[in-house]
């Protein structure tokens, strides 16, 4: 088994949570581009200096920077059993890069309405104050508006592309974590997990 899965959906749809569950149960490697960028910010790297303002404002980082990060990460080849790519691709150019270089199997789309996005992200921000979640500089109303606009303008149109390639698995993300996970596993037709629940 060597599955190459991407997970796509608006902010707060549960991409990170579902990616982590899949990786735990099936031994895939979770690759979150946002996490990689946040690591750079914490460590004040040169890359961080290039992306910090863009990220904090909620805008998308330029394609060439993101593609370089993804290429370096995937070339580590530590994902024998497969990977779940969380937060990439988010633009047409990124999707083309991915199709040209890596044989993707499936795209999981977590579908939730914008009203739910606002509630979820703002409660993540509130929880971040007290612990449990890490407080994100871009979990505030202004940045969230920009992130959602970027999502609808640049990322949502990619769904058609995945649909055409017969790779799209659409899941109703407006359910409990466990219910969404059950639908994801059923939709991906993954077989027996390495670590059962
Ligand atoms: P995330 O944690 O996936 O919400 O990503 C946080 C931020 O990182 C985004 O709002 C963007 O600024 C940046 N980012 C992450 N992935 C990408 C991507 N594929 N393309 C452009 N920017 C990205």
């Amino acid at each position: 088994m060597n599955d190459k899965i991407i997970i796509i959906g608006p902010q707060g749809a549960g991409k990170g949570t579902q990616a982590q569950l899949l990786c735990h149960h099936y031994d895939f490697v979770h690759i979150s581009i946002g996490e990689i960028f946040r690591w750079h910010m914490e460590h004040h790297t040169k890359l961080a200096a290039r992306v910090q303002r863009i990220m904090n404002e909620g805008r998308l980082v330029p394609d060439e920077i993101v593609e370089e990060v993804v290429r370096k990460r995937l070339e580590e080849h530590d994902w024998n059993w497969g990977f779940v790519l969380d937060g990439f691709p988010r633009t047409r150019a990124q999707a083309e890069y991915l199709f040209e270089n890596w044989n993707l199997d499936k795209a999981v789309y977590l579908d939730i309405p914008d009203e739910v996005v606002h509630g979820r992200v703002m409660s993540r921000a509130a929880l971040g104050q007290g612990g449990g979640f890490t407080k994100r500089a871009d979990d505030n109303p202004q940045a969230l508006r920009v992130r959602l606009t970027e999502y609808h303008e640049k990322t949502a149109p990619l769904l058609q592309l995945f649909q055409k390639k017969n790779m799209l698995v659409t899941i109703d993300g407006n359910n409990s974590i466990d219910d969404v996970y059950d639908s994801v596993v059923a939709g991906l037709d993954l077989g027996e997990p390495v670590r059962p629940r």
Side-chain angles (χ1 to χ4, degrees), residues 11 15 32-35 37-38 51 54-56 58-63 66 70 86-91 94 124 136 138 147:
Q11 288 66 31
K15 298 189 291 292
S32 159
I33 307 310
E35 288 292 332
F37 284 138
R38 281 188 286 277
V51 303
I54 299 175
M55 265 183 84
N56 288 349
R59 290 182 290 133
L60 289 180
V61 171
D63 290 332
V66 185
V70 170
D86 159 9
F88 185 93
R90 279 185 170 159
T91 65
Q94 292 177 15
R124 176 166 78 188
R136 289 175 49 155
D138 59 354
R147 286 157 69 200

Side-chain angles (χ1 to χ4, degrees), residues 3 20 22 24 28 33 36 40 43 47 53 59 62 66-67 71 74 104 132 148 151 154 159 165-167 170 175 192:
D3 290 271
Q20 276 170 9
L22 275 175
H24 173 72
F28 302 140
I33 307 310
I36 295 177
H40 280 274
H43 293 85
L47 179 65
R53 220 180 89 202
R59 290 182 290 133
V66 185
E67 281 169 25
R71 187 183 59 74
L74 290 182
L104 281 191
L148 260 180
Y151 172 77
K154 296 174 184 160
L159 295 172
K165 290 185 183 275
N166 258 332
M167 295 170 43
T170 300
N175 277 316
E192 287 307 306

Side-chain angles (χ1 to χ4, degrees), residues 7 13 37 42 49 68 88 98 105 161 166 178:
I7 193 153
F37 284 138
E42 268 165 39
E68 176 71 6
F88 185 93
L98 203 56
D105 295 295
L161 220 94
N166 258 332
D178 281 347

